[in-house]
Amino acid sequence: MASEVYFAPLSDGASAVQQAKATAKVYDASGFGRALHERDFVAIKVHVSEKMSKTYMRPQIIKKLVDKVRECKGNPFITETSTLYKGERENAVKHLLLAHRHGFGIEKTGAPFIMADGLLGNTEAEVAINGELFDRVKIAGEIISADGLIAVAHVTGHLVSGLGACIKTLGMGLASRKGKMRQHSAMKPEVNRELCRFCRKCLRWCPRQAVSEKGGKAFIALSRCIGCGECLAVCRYDAIKYDWGKEAGFMQKSMAEYALGVILNKREKCLFINLLTGMTPECDCMNTDERFVADIGVLASTDAVAIDKATLDLTARAFGKSVAELSHPKQDALIQIAHGEKIGLGSMSYELIKIS
């Protein structure tokens, strides 16, 4: 049976208020409110982006969802997890300060912001799954404690997975620090010595001090490397190389299996929202404001696989190629989606229901 995916179209450059109204429409159409019980704790997963970004999801959208949960007499809270890489979101204190600066504080959203993985990213719960790569996954602790989940994804390209959308938001975005490291475990970079100018950026940004100098060039000690991709992100000379065919596939499958661990104890109380607005070729972690395609609208579904498949299909119809193909044509974003279907996360078969 095909999963239902609700679609509220938007014109290009739609305002935050218009985006919030569209989000409310697909929320109502999904019937998610009927699944909630009075006093349910409902986590609303967001991405506050990095400090220089201008294309991140708007807090007005989250305020609308907070209000919707409150209408059901639920207890909504906004949530996120810390990053592996060094930056403004590497721990709860820095992350919350940035969230407040970007408008995600309680004053503007009406709900508290609670870090799902604690102060340092190590508050976690281990969840048993029937996966292909893992039989147990490490999920942010407060997510497992929550009764319900609304996962809001700002759709982007992604340098490893091709697509940054619902599955990535769930699997990578709601894993504990250890869980994130396990998903990156196959990512082992090497330095192209001919291209390396030893600018030292990779040394400064590596969270595990795995990069050092050797013969006047950067050198990566694989025994210390956690595969977070920070060196790749900061290198401006294309001097970091990966075996994309092997490593990207592992990471995408890992994300799908972690996404399954996130929703297992609350399948009937999960809603997924994909924002096809302000789309950029790189994820919001990359401090980018390079919007590269027109806005399309907002999607909602209770099926994480179906909503990401619909995202690829809608963008492909609008632009000739999907957002993943346009941003990173060497990556096959369908790997995460097909694997999600294989392990029972959801279905690639869907019915798109347009909301006027």
Side-chain angles (χ1 to χ4, degrees):
M1 182 176 177
S3 298
E4 294 176 336
V5 179
Y6 299 91
F7 173 48
L10 287 168
S11 58
D12 189 32
S15 69
V17 171
Q18 291 171 321
Q19 292 180 41
K21 288 181 178 179
T23 302
K25 287 181 181 180
V26 293
Y27 176 98
D28 289 340
S30 74
F32 177 70
R34 294 192 295 272
L36 298 180
H37 296 149
E38 186 175 346
R39 299 183 184 178
D40 273 350
F41 288 106
V42 181
I44 302 176
K45 165 67 168 72
V46 303
H47 192 310
V48 304
S49 193
E50 287 292 343
K51 63 180 179 179
M52 301 302 292
S53 176
K54 296 181 177 65
T55 57
Y56 55 87
M57 67 180 69
R58 296 308 174 207
Q60 290 93 329
I61 295 169
I62 307 308
K63 174 65 164 61
K64 185 67 70 173
L65 293 171
V66 167
D67 292 344
K68 289 291 182 182
V69 173
R70 286 245 162 80
E71 288 174 9
C72 302
K73 298 183 180 179
N75 294 309
F77 65 96
I78 301 167
T79 195
E80 243 286 39
T81 61
S82 295
T83 59
L84 285 180
Y85 63 83
K86 293 180 179 179
E88 296 300 308
R89 299 185 300 127
E90 65 184 278
N91 60 54
V93 173
K94 295 178 71 174
H95 204 141
L96 290 171
L97 287 171
L98 178 62
H100 183 79
R101 290 200 299 272
H102 280 185
F104 292 93
I106 193 169
E107 299 87 354
K108 292 187 178 180
T109 63
F113 200 122
I114 299 172
M115 291 297 290
D117 57 352
L119 181 64
L120 299 174
N122 55 5
T123 299
E124 63 186 16
E126 194 167 70
V127 178
I129 65 166
N130 186 22
E132 181 181 283
L133 303 176
F134 307 113
D135 56 11
R136 307 186 76 83
V137 291
K138 297 181 183 296
I139 306 301
E142 303 307 333
I143 292 302
I144 302 303
S145 298
D147 302 298
L149 170 66
I150 302 174
V152 186
H154 173 223
V155 173
T156 67
H158 191 271
L159 62 93
V160 179
S161 61
L163 176 69
C166 181
I167 292 175
K168 180 178 179 292
T169 290
L170 293 171
M172 190 64 70
L174 291 176
S176 68
R177 184 174 294 275
K178 287 181 182 177
K180 290 181 176 68
M181 290 172 65
R182 288 180 72 186
Q183 291 176 69
H184 284 97
S185 62
M187 303 291 291
K188 298 301 182 183
E190 297 180 18
V191 176
N192 184 326
R193 293 179 62 83
E194 292 183 3
L195 296 177
C196 177
R197 301 188 185 184
F198 198 51
C199 65
R200 294 178 173 82
K201 276 192 176 181
C202 54
L203 274 75
R204 293 195 296 269
W205 283 88
C206 178
R208 292 296 297 272
Q209 291 77 52
V211 186
S212 60
E213 183 273 335
K214 188 174 183 180
K217 303 288 184 177
F219 172 77
I220 300 172
L222 297 184
S223 60
R224 296 182 60 85
C225 176
I226 59 173
C228 67
E230 188 69 13
C231 55
L232 179 69
V234 300
C235 182
R236 295 294 176 263
Y237 306 106
D238 297 321
I240 307 297
K241 56 184 179 179
Y242 283 87
D243 181 353
W244 292 113
K246 172 186 175 183
E247 293 150 353
F250 176 87
M251 182 174 165
Q252 288 193 60
K253 289 181 179 180
S254 297
M255 290 193 312
E257 296 196 6
Y258 267 75
L260 180 62
V262 166
I263 71 168
L264 266 184
N265 74 332
K266 55 177 70 65
R267 270 190 181 274
E268 304 305 315
K269 293 186 180 182
C270 288
L271 180 67
F272 312 116
I273 295 174
N274 280 5
L275 305 173
L276 281 69
T277 58
M279 292 176 281
T280 57
E282 304 296 350
C283 76
D284 288 334
C285 299
M286 302 286 280
N287 250 334
T288 180
D289 58 0
E290 182 189 349
R291 192 176 77 104
F292 78 136
V293 291
D295 299 336
I296 293 179
V298 182
L299 293 174
S301 180
T302 56
D303 186 322
V305 172
I307 195 172
D308 276 5
K309 182 64 166 62
T311 295
L312 290 180
D313 293 343
L314 275 173
T315 54
R317 284 200 291 270
F319 312 124
K321 293 182 179 180
S322 73
V323 64
E325 293 170 314
L326 289 170
S327 58
H328 293 281
K330 292 183 179 180
Q331 306 302 348
D332 180 6
L334 277 173
I335 292 174
Q336 60 191 285
I337 296 171
H339 191 67
E341 182 177 62
K342 181 179 180 181
I343 63 174
L345 178 63
S347 171
M348 287 197 290
S349 176
Y350 68 91
E351 176 189 4
L352 189 69
I353 302 171
K354 187 175 179 180
I355 309 299
S356 61

